[in-house]
Amino acid sequence: MRITAVTIYFFLVVASVPVFCNTSEPPVFHLEAPPESRSLFAPLDDVRLLSNGLLQLGQSMREFMQKTKGQINTIFQKLNIFDRSFIQLSTLAGEIKEGEEELKQTTVVLNTHNEEIKELSEKISSKMESILQEKNQLLNKVNSLEEKLSRLSVGLFTITQVAEINSLREVIQRQEQSIANLLEAMVEQGRHLNHQTRKIKLLEEKLAANTSAQETFEKMAEISKSALPTPTPYLTSGNSSTTMMTDFPSDCSELFDRGERANGIYAIKPNGSEPFMAFCDMSRGHGATVIQQRRDGSINFDEPWEKYENGFGDLQ
């Protein structure tokens, strides 16, 4: 409206100029169509369309920001899980290394005892051979004396011959008693040697199982450095391919019946299971297999079911 008013006013001023100039020619008015005016403001529909587009863009940006924030929180949670799993793996690897060192030391001690028992067995065998030789010599002497006695009459025995025969019989009896004692000692040493051998084999199997478990933990630690970890079960110490033992007791009461009277750790093999180490209490007049025992509260019994299946704490 302002542009139109200014245009009309301009034409009136131009039309009045010839009158003031006193020209003889009559004024000629050239009326031309006013130029089309263009509005400086956008149409209302375009403004509404633009505002709706901006609102939709802002809403989508807000949703994108919320989605991105949720993804970042998920990544942080996975990183926290990874840190906890890596710390647990490191702790378990350290415990396995300590147990491996203890098993190695125990194996060295048992091997030393085994060598000592072998030396004692060799000495006992040599003594047995010498005693058997002496026994054969005494039997030969007795046989020769019996032949002499058979040639002589009953009334011709002298006091010296009777004393010699009696002394020889006493010597033979003493030798037989010493042989019996040595045989019992050899049997006992053989049992002890077999027991020590079973312990050594069981410790070697546990050492091999712990070594394989440690290698598995190291591989898992290497894998976890390049990818996010997933929860892994606790590894067991048993091995289904171990050598089957047929002479293990089923429990501590059977060990008590065999003559064991000292409290300590023994290898047992219940029916249908693999052999394992257990603490036996022999101080109650019978052998008791200890399943659980809490002394001073230093061990937390709030453990998962896998720990109760595989065992935890100190056997001692």
Side-chain angles (χ1 to χ4, degrees):
M1 295 298 293
R2 290 180 180 178
I3 296 173
T4 305
V6 171
T7 306
I8 294 172
Y9 180 73
F10 178 75
F11 277 106
L12 290 175
V13 172
V14 172
S16 61
V17 169
V19 176
F20 290 103
C21 293
N22 293 321
T23 57
S24 58
E25 293 181 359
V28 179
F29 296 98
H30 298 281
L31 297 177
E32 294 179 356
E36 294 181 357
S37 62
R38 295 181 180 179
S39 177
L40 297 176
F41 300 96
L44 183 60
D45 293 335
D46 293 340
V47 173
R48 289 178 179 177
L49 182 62
L50 180 62
S51 63
N52 290 329
L54 290 174
L55 287 174
Q56 292 178 359
L57 179 61
Q59 186 67 25
S60 61
M61 289 293 290
R62 182 180 179 182
E63 293 176 355
F64 176 75
M65 288 296 294
Q66 291 178 353
K67 185 177 180 180
T68 305
K69 185 177 180 181
Q71 291 177 353
I72 291 172
N73 291 331
T74 303
I75 291 171
F76 277 115
Q77 291 177 0
K78 290 182 179 180
L79 287 175
N80 291 329
I81 294 171
F82 166 75
D83 292 335
R84 290 195 296 270
S85 300
F86 186 75
I87 291 170
Q88 291 176 359
L89 289 175
S90 300
T91 305
L92 290 174
E95 292 176 356
I96 288 174
K97 286 182 179 179
E98 292 177 358
E100 183 181 355
E101 293 297 330
E102 292 178 358
L103 287 175
K104 286 181 179 179
Q105 293 176 0
T106 307
T107 305
V108 172
V109 173
L110 289 176
N111 286 328
T112 305
H113 291 326
N114 194 9
E115 294 295 331
E116 293 177 356
I117 292 170
K118 286 182 179 179
E119 292 178 359
L120 290 174
S121 300
E122 292 176 357
K123 291 180 181 179
I124 292 171
S125 299
S126 63
K127 288 182 179 179
M128 284 291 297
E129 291 178 357
S130 63
I131 290 170
L132 290 174
Q133 290 177 0
E134 292 179 358
K135 182 181 179 181
N136 292 327
Q137 293 175 1
L138 290 172
L139 288 174
N140 292 329
K141 289 181 180 180
V142 171
N143 291 328
S144 63
L145 289 172
E146 287 179 353
E147 289 177 358
K148 290 179 181 180
L149 288 172
S150 64
R151 290 193 298 266
L152 297 173
S153 61
V154 179
L156 296 178
F157 284 118
T158 60
I159 296 173
T160 57
Q161 289 176 347
V162 173
E164 186 178 357
I165 291 170
N166 291 330
S167 63
L168 287 173
R169 286 178 179 176
E170 291 176 357
V171 171
I172 290 171
Q173 289 177 357
R174 288 195 298 271
Q175 292 293 333
E176 288 178 351
Q177 185 64 32
S178 62
I179 290 170
N181 293 331
L182 286 173
L183 287 174
E184 292 179 357
M186 286 186 66
V187 171
E188 186 66 26
Q189 290 292 336
R191 290 178 181 175
H192 186 64
L193 181 61
N194 291 330
H195 184 66
Q196 294 290 338
T197 303
R198 288 195 297 269
K199 281 187 176 181
I200 290 171
K201 288 183 179 179
L202 187 59
L203 287 172
E204 288 176 351
E205 292 171 0
K206 290 185 71 177
L207 182 61
N210 285 332
T211 303
S212 62
Q214 182 179 357
E215 292 177 356
T216 304
F217 279 127
E218 291 177 355
K219 290 180 180 179
M220 290 176 65
E222 291 178 358
I223 293 172
S224 64
K225 291 179 181 178
S226 59
L228 290 174
T230 56
T232 56
Y234 185 79
L235 295 177
T236 60
S237 60
N239 191 355
S240 60
S241 63
T242 55
T243 306
M244 296 296 292
M245 295 293 181
T246 58
D247 198 18
F248 285 109
S250 61
D251 55 9
C252 295
S253 62
E254 186 174 345
L255 276 171
F256 188 88
D257 295 335
R258 292 184 184 182
E260 294 289 344
R261 295 294 184 271
N263 296 338
I265 299 171
Y266 296 91
I268 63 174
K269 182 181 180 295
N271 295 330
S273 70
E274 296 292 332
F276 59 91
M277 305 301 290
F279 187 86
C280 294
D281 186 2
M282 305 294 187
S283 62
R284 305 184 181 183
H286 64 278
T289 306
V290 179
I291 304 298
Q292 271 189 0
Q293 187 173 11
R294 190 169 190 174
R295 294 181 178 272
D296 55 359
S298 61
I299 297 177
N300 186 12
F301 273 34
D302 186 12
E303 300 291 344
W305 179 245
E306 290 81 6
K307 289 288 189 70
Y308 279 92
E309 286 182 335
N310 301 321
F312 61 93
D314 188 6
L315 281 175
Q316 295 290 343

